[in-house]
């Protein structure tokens, strides 16, 4: 029973494994031109569905509260979208002389270019009791990996506009008219997006397994796994050190938000984005592998560290209260 409960709780992780296994068993179903027609159903309909869903669920009426924590949000955005990708790029210059699969290394760079997820970072932040922190990504992908993309720059941004921006705006407009109904019924937005995402992952790996020229060595995969865990731990420690300096101006709750939101990366936005930027690329699935590893790794590490970080935050907050002068 415990196993079933665990599988039900982590159904998306199980779904990723089943999607890849299904693609391995019968790749012809999800390849371009196959029965699923992913060049239409995935590239346009599935991606648009995810961002329409995001538009419906995005509570823009609450975004004004973010202005109160302007310094916090600025730190998170600069670390996530400037320091993180630049640091990964420098690190990859060293790794390029190793025998690690070059497409997995390019995938590691794409991880660095991704924004933080709304889901896991916020859930972990809330679990501790901190504050919440949240289209530069494609620009970063083109900056660091532009030579690897076979799709023209104008095509990338026209498709991004049609499948990301337009559905997001439409979702927001629809939300204005049915906001009360959405608040009352609370549709499972996360589950819907995750289900569509599984279809995108499935078709991506169908293309891989149908190509006999692509081979992934286990040595590279194990090293990438180790590197991903090391990067996450190092960056979590780095953000902790930066945000707890005496002159940082951040509260313990702010530090919690910074640790999680600055180091977590979005799979929901990342996979559709890679599907657009690297459309038709024979190594797309290999480029996607580091992001697929990073997602469960960040949840696992976050879950393990939540009790420690929570006890630290509570003790610091008590210390701050004791230091306040009594009137």
């Amino acid at each position: 029973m415990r196993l079933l409960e665990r599988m039900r709780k982590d159904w998306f992780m199980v779904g990723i494994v089943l999607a890849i296994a299904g693609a391995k068993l019968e790749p012809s179903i999800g390849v371009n031109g196959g029965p699923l027609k992913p060049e239409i159903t995935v590239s346009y309909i599935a991606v648009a569905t995810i961002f329409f869903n995001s538009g419906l669920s995005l509570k823009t009426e609450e975004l004004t509260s973010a202005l109160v924590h302007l310094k916090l949000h600025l730190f998170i955005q600069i670390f996530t979208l400037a320091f993180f990708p630049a640091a990964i790029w420098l690190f990859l210059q060293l790794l390029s002389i190793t025998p690690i699969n070059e497409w997995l290394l390019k995938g590691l760079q794409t991880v660095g270019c991704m924004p933080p997820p709304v889901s896991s970072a916020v859930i972990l932040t809330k679990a501790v009791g901190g504050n919440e922190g949240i289209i530069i990504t494609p620009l970063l992908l083109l900056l660091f990996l532009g030579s690897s993309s076979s799709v023209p720059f104008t095509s990338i941004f026209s498709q991004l506009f049609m499948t990301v921006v337009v559905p997001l705006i439409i979702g927001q407009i629809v939300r204005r008219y049915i906001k009360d109904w959405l608040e009352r019924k609370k549709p499972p937005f996360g589950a819907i997006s995750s289900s569509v995402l599984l279809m995108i992952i499935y078709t991506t790996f169908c293309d891989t397994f149908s190509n006999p020229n692509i081979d992934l060595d286990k040595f590279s995969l194990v090293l990438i796994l180790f590197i991903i865990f090391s990067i996450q731990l190092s960056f979590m420690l780095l953000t902790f050190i930066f945000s707890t300096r005496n002159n940082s101006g951040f509260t313990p709750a702010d530090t919690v938000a910074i640790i999680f939101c600055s180091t977590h990366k979005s799979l929901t936005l990342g996979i559709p984005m890679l599907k657009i930027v690297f459309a038709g690329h024979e190594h797309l699935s290999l480029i996607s592998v580091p992001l697929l590893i990073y997602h469960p790794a960040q949840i696992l590490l976050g879950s393990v560290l939540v009790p420690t970080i929570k006890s630290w935050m509570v003790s610091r907050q008590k210390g701050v209260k004791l230091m306040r002068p009594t009137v």
Side-chain angles (χ1 to χ4, degrees), residues 33-105:
L36 283 181
K37 300 291 181 187
E39 63 273 19
I40 298 172
T41 57
V42 171
S43 297
Y44 293 94
I45 299 173
V47 175
T49 300
I50 286 176
F51 288 98
F52 172 74
N53 191 49
S54 295
L56 275 179
S57 61
L58 187 63
K59 298 180 179 181
T60 45
E61 60 269 19
E62 295 180 359
L63 292 183
T64 50
S65 63
L67 295 175
V68 178
H69 301 288
L70 184 60
K71 184 180 178 180
L72 170 67
H73 290 278
L74 196 59
F75 181 95
I76 291 170
Q77 296 304 328
I78 291 173
F79 189 94
T80 306
L81 299 172
F83 177 82
F84 204 125
I88 294 294
W89 182 83
L90 288 172
F91 184 45
L92 291 182
Q93 304 313 300
L94 297 174
L95 292 179
S96 62
I97 62 175
T98 67
I100 300 176
N101 185 293
E102 67 168 311
W103 297 105
L104 287 180
L105 292 180

Side-chain angles (χ1 to χ4, degrees), residues 99-119:
I100 300 176
N101 185 293
E102 67 168 311
W103 297 105
L104 287 180
L105 292 180
K106 290 181 186 295
L108 205 54
Q109 183 65 72
T110 67
V111 170
C113 296
M114 294 300 156
V118 176
S119 55

Side-chain angles (χ1 to χ4, degrees), residues 12 50-51 54 80 110-121 134 137 197 261 263-274 291-292 294-295 298:
F12 181 62
I50 286 176
F51 288 98
S54 295
T80 306
T110 67
V111 170
C113 296
M114 294 300 156
V118 176
S119 55
S120 62
I134 206 182
T137 293
L197 192 58
C261 295
T263 59
H264 281 209
K265 295 293 181 177
S266 174
L267 183 68
T268 307
L269 175 63
I271 294 297
M273 198 71 73
L274 293 181
L291 187 57
L292 289 171
Y294 198 97
H295 179 75
Q298 69 189 9

Side-chain angles (χ1 to χ4, degrees), residues 109-172:
Q109 183 65 72
T110 67
V111 170
C113 296
M114 294 300 156
V118 176
S119 55
S120 62
V122 168
I123 289 169
L124 290 166
T125 299
K126 287 295 187 182
V128 176
N131 299 325
E132 290 182 33
I134 206 182
I135 281 236
I136 298 174
T137 293
L139 290 172
L140 289 172
L141 288 172
L142 290 171
L143 174 65
F144 289 105
L145 297 163
S147 59
S148 302
S149 175
S150 56
V151 184
F153 182 87
T154 52
S155 297
I156 289 172
F157 278 89
S158 62
Q159 189 170 349
L160 279 173
F161 182 77
M162 292 305 298
T163 59
V164 176
V165 179
V166 171
L168 196 65
I169 293 172
I170 293 174
Q172 278 287 281

Side-chain angles (χ1 to χ4, degrees), residues 27 29 57 101 105 123 125 143 148-149 167 178 181 231 235 241 251-252 259 264 282 300 307 314 327:
I29 296 175
S57 61
N101 185 293
L105 292 180
I123 289 169
T125 299
L143 174 65
S148 302
S149 175
I178 61 170
W181 182 84
I231 287 172
F235 281 5
I241 292 170
T251 65
I259 289 172
H264 281 209
E282 64 174 351
L300 177 63
V314 170
V327 180

